[in-house]
Amino acid sequence: MAGQEQQQPQSRDSQVEEDIPEAPPAPPEAQASASTEGVDDLLDEIDGVLESNAEEFVRAFVQKGGQ
Amino acid sequence: MTAAPEPAAGGTLPAGGAMRVMGAETEYGIHAPSAPSANATMMSARVVQAYAQVTRQRAAGGAETRWDYTDEEPLHDARGWTVDRSSAHPSQLTDQPPVLDAEAVALAYGREELELDGQDESGTLLMNMVLGNGARLYVDHAHPEYSSPEVTNPRDAVKWDAAGDLVALAAVRRLAADPDLPPVNLYKNNTDNKSVSYGSHENYLMPRSVPFGDIVRGLTPFFVSRQIMCGSGRVGIGQDSSTPGFQISQRADFFEAEVGLETTIRRPIINTRDEPHATADKYRRLHVIIGDANLSQVSNYLKFGTTAMVLSLIEAGLAPKVEVFEPVAALQRVSHDTTLTAKLRLLDGRRVTALDLQWMYHEAAAKLAQDTGVGDKVDGDGHTHDVLERWAAVLTQLDNDRAAAASSVEWLAKLSLLDGYRERDGLEWNDARLGLVDLQWADIRPEKGLYYRFLARNRMQRILEDADIAAGVSEPPADTRAFFRGRCISSFGKDVVGASWDSVIFDVPGYGRLQRVPTREPLRGTKALTGALFERYREAGPFLAELLGHNAPPAA
């Protein structure tokens, strides 16, 4: 069932690791309140998750009609 | 039938609040990055096929009313359509069903693959499944669609809609593990930002006695404004996103009419499709096509909960007396105004914001809930009080604490991430990375989907525990006919040759003919009414003998 399926090793892990995009330069003023620190940390994580080559990926997402 | 221990079993739900028979339909965006030109219908069929492999449940073809099967129908005909044919959308009976035959498969993937596949001797891909949780998983146009089982309240609507995301995820995992097939990504969103939109629909059961004009008048101002709580957010303005920017709703720019029958062209705010999937002289199934697909549980909860309450207002004749001037333009104006300050003109001359409109509906709904008693915290129906509280809390936060609202309102959560990127990296709204954030927000894989990254960091509120949602993948709701449908599939799947919203069809050894069990009353076939029957039998034959022999079918 789906629950078991979720726990199976993700066969695409290796690809996920390769997908890390070039890290954008850190902003010079890194004066962090707790909340901005949280946002920076969040963005760092998301950087590592985003598909590489944003432009091509977004362009290729073409759907056929729906309701 | 067994005796009903609960008054509500097979009867009615408390009126005046948020309880109502309802359900969700989600069309997923589908994309194979390594095979961008792959046929979308083909890929969608792969998704259904993959889930069939996951569950090993024998798919029951979606029996639609036009295939009006009776017990006189010969066996072979039934097998012919349940196995070989796909069906149209449950509410689009006039559509030609899409058929993927061996030739189409071969064209898309090559002959060898077709032979490897081999699940169906006919070479036809499975396009349609009825699931053990009472839901339907099938190919709708060029998208995989999950239609949730019928539920009675907004919390369960969220649960079984989110369970559908796990169903879709299981299929995605299965395909990813197959070295012979391109991995497929599924997105719970509503547009490709290139002028195409696909829907996430809501269905609400209403008494047929309510005049449709009342529904149109009562719902239109509500639908124009509810997106401020339920919108999923979208990068790009206009159907083709040609104007850079961000807007509240995925769907608003694709609506062009106030009232109408269409769902794919000239989409109307109020859809007039009337296919009750139930006793037609008693019920109408209100088909709502304007909503965004929601990953945020709170946005989804409020979408179903507040809409159900507004329908209760309309039934009681107590909907706010407001009419928005040019509602289609107003809908888009609200979507394009993330400050929530745009004033909409009412026909009586007043000018109000979307928040004002929502407060009018909240006030009326709270009064009706109080007058009927369903909104009482202790003695109410168990749902309405919570919907009213959350509704008010979100409206208040939208007005004065948007950072707090961002933990529940989906478009604000997405906007917070986009703003983070814009500030850190100085990105303009037409930057492809923002488009990617918008798209990948809705990836249903927890490790890739940005909503799920937010959820993992507790940046989004939950309505349900993960375990509750996971249970909904295999368990049907207990309090609607979906229980009967789902349990028939999970207990006697090999003997079920067809199922639809309002019937389950058995082919049981020893019976010379197909046995069609109608389920035309959505509040019958519940666990209270049929649970003991399922417990008593391990074989479909004796089960049917008791169900059909000693008792009337759930509802003839």
Side-chain angles (χ1 to χ4, degrees):
Chain A
M1 295 298 295
Q4 294 159 348
E5 191 75 14
Q6 275 175 269
Q7 289 152 23
Q8 286 180 1
Q10 289 145 21
S11 65
R12 300 178 71 206
D13 272 358
S14 56
Q15 286 181 25
V16 171
E17 278 156 28
E18 289 162 15
D19 277 350
I20 297 168
E22 65 281 17
E29 66 290 336
Q31 19 163 312
S33 74
S35 67
T36 59
E37 206 167 66
V39 170
D40 289 345
D41 186 37
L42 172 71
L43 293 181
D44 287 346
E45 180 193 327
I46 303 287
D47 284 341
V49 170
L50 282 179
E51 307 282 356
S52 56
N53 199 341
E55 188 147 358
E56 185 187 324
F57 196 93
V58 167
R59 188 174 52 232
F61 181 70
V62 178
Q63 299 296 288
K64 298 274 193 264
Q67 297 214 48
Chain B
M1 291 294 160
T2 53
E6 300 160 19
T12 57
L13 298 170
M19 293 195 77
R20 175 175 300 276
V21 174
M22 57 180 92
E25 308 166 26
T26 302
E27 290 179 57
Y28 293 94
I30 184 164
H31 183 45
S34 63
S37 58
N39 178 289
T41 305
M42 172 79 209
M43 286 194 295
S44 300
R46 288 278 175 210
V47 168
V48 177
Q49 190 92 349
Y51 193 66
Q53 291 166 352
V54 168
T55 62
R56 297 283 173 211
Q57 282 164 350
R58 182 61 201 155
E64 303 291 355
T65 49
R66 68 172 159 167
W67 291 299
D68 188 18
Y69 267 78
T70 64
D71 292 347
E72 285 76 40
E73 210 78 29
L75 175 73
H76 290 101
D77 287 355
R79 289 229 161 128
W81 64 258
T82 50
V83 176
D84 291 350
R85 281 204 195 166
S86 59
S87 71
H89 187 278
S91 52
Q92 268 188 309
L93 299 179
T94 53
D95 263 11
Q96 286 296 319
V99 174
L100 270 188
D101 57 13
E103 198 57 30
V105 174
L107 282 172
Y109 283 101
R111 302 261 169 211
E112 309 76 32
E113 171 137 24
L114 177 61
E115 283 152 21
L116 279 176
D117 196 42
Q119 276 91 359
D120 288 308
E121 58 279 9
S122 63
T124 303
L125 280 176
L126 192 59
M127 303 281 273
N128 202 335
M129 289 177 77
V130 180
L131 309 184
N133 70 354
R136 183 182 185 204
L137 179 69
Y138 67 115
V139 180
D140 186 16
H141 300 275
H143 303 270
E145 174 162 335
Y146 169 89
S147 294
S148 83
E150 306 89 329
V151 299
T152 62
N153 62 79
R155 191 172 187 279
D156 283 351
V158 175
K159 172 176 171 172
W160 270 279
D161 184 49
D165 300 337
L166 294 182
V167 166
L169 176 64
V172 164
R173 298 285 196 228
R174 180 86 189 188
L175 289 170
D178 188 334
D180 297 325
L181 293 177
V184 166
N185 295 350
L186 295 179
Y187 298 91
K188 195 179 188 183
N189 63 5
N190 300 106
T191 178
D192 66 358
N193 271 333
K194 298 167 190 68
S195 80
V196 163
S197 183
Y198 34 98
S200 63
H201 299 169
E202 303 139 64
N203 296 290
Y204 301 92
L205 201 70
M206 300 187 73
R208 181 154 299 278
S209 54
V210 180
F212 201 76
D214 290 2
I215 297 174
V216 173
R217 272 188 299 280
L219 271 180
T220 300
F222 177 72
F223 281 168
V224 164
S225 53
R226 79 171 183 172
Q227 55 182 311
I228 63 174
M229 304 184 296
C230 313
S232 294
R234 177 182 170 205
V235 173
I237 311 286
Q239 293 191 359
D240 60 359
S241 299
S242 53
T243 303
F246 177 86
Q247 61 176 311
I248 288 172
S249 162
Q250 291 260 309
R251 287 282 271 175
D253 286 355
F254 296 94
F255 280 71
E256 297 170 319
E258 294 175 26
V259 182
L261 189 59
E262 301 94 337
T263 56
T264 56
I265 49 159
R266 274 187 58 77
R267 292 184 184 89
I269 294 174
I270 307 290
N271 186 226
T272 53
R273 178 173 294 161
D274 186 8
E275 188 70 31
H277 297 313
T279 304
D281 54 352
K282 283 173 67 178
Y283 304 115
R284 149 193 333 282
R285 177 183 64 122
L286 184 71
H287 188 232
V288 174
I289 68 170
I290 201 171
D292 286 3
N294 283 125
L295 287 154
S296 160
Q297 294 180 16
V298 176
S299 282
N300 215 17
Y301 178 79
L302 289 174
K303 182 170 70 185
F304 284 97
T306 63
T307 303
M309 294 193 71
V310 170
L311 295 178
S312 293
L313 283 174
I314 292 167
E315 287 172 15
L318 295 171
K321 300 280 186 283
V322 286
E323 280 192 78
V324 176
F325 176 71
E326 294 187 348
V328 175
L331 172 78
Q332 285 154 9
R333 184 133 182 261
V334 170
S335 183
H336 299 171
D337 168 39
T338 57
T339 69
L340 306 183
T341 56
K343 298 267 189 175
L344 307 177
R345 205 173 119 195
L346 303 184
L347 288 190
D348 63 13
R350 281 182 290 170
R351 289 179 179 275
V352 298
T353 64
L355 271 168
D356 294 333
L357 281 172
Q358 283 296 307
W359 278 119
M360 290 179 205
Y361 277 95
H362 183 278
E363 185 182 353
K367 180 163 192 316
L368 177 61
Q370 187 176 26
D371 291 349
T372 55
V374 294
D376 190 272
K377 188 174 184 178
V378 177
D379 299 323
D381 63 16
H383 297 280
T384 299
H385 177 80
D386 187 60
V387 171
L388 284 167
E389 293 272 301
R390 287 181 186 273
W391 190 359
V394 164
L395 293 179
T396 302
Q397 288 174 347
L398 283 170
D399 196 31
N400 63 22
D401 189 355
R402 290 177 52 149
S407 69
S408 53
V409 174
E410 189 157 352
W411 67 270
L412 271 174
K414 185 187 280 183
L415 182 58
S416 75
L417 179 57
L418 292 162
D419 280 343
Y421 270 98
R422 274 160 31 89
E423 283 161 28
R424 190 190 71 178
D425 300 341
L427 304 181
E428 300 295 330
W429 277 117
N430 58 1
D431 192 288
R433 285 177 72 204
L434 297 185
L436 180 60
V437 168
D438 186 12
L439 172 60
Q440 207 174 321
W441 176 267
D443 191 318
I444 61 164
R445 293 171 296 173
E447 74 279 10
K448 292 297 262 184
L450 306 187
Y451 161 76
Y452 287 104
R453 303 321 308 151
F454 269 49
L455 190 68
R457 286 172 167 259
N458 290 318
R459 291 180 75 97
M460 300 298 297
Q461 288 180 40
R462 285 175 160 84
I463 298 281
L464 293 148
E465 297 300 324
D466 290 351
D468 282 341
I469 296 170
V473 170
S474 49
E475 282 295 313
D479 54 357
T480 68
R481 65 186 176 187
F483 178 83
F484 180 80
R485 181 189 314 122
R487 288 299 305 271
C488 283
I489 299 291
S490 54
S491 298
F492 311 119
K494 70 180 169 56
D495 300 313
V496 175
V497 295
S500 71
W501 300 116
D502 52 18
S503 71
V504 178
I505 303 169
F506 285 86
D507 173 24
V508 177
Y511 282 82
R513 295 164 171 173
L514 295 183
Q515 301 296 314
R516 184 177 191 274
V517 182
T519 56
R520 292 171 63 76
E521 285 289 342
L523 293 175
R524 295 183 67 88
T526 60
K527 185 175 188 180
L529 287 171
T530 66
L533 193 60
F534 283 104
E535 294 304 317
R536 276 203 291 283
Y537 298 105
R538 293 289 169 269
E539 297 293 330
F543 170 83
L544 275 182
E546 179 171 342
L547 184 70
L548 301 174
H550 305 304
N551 299 281

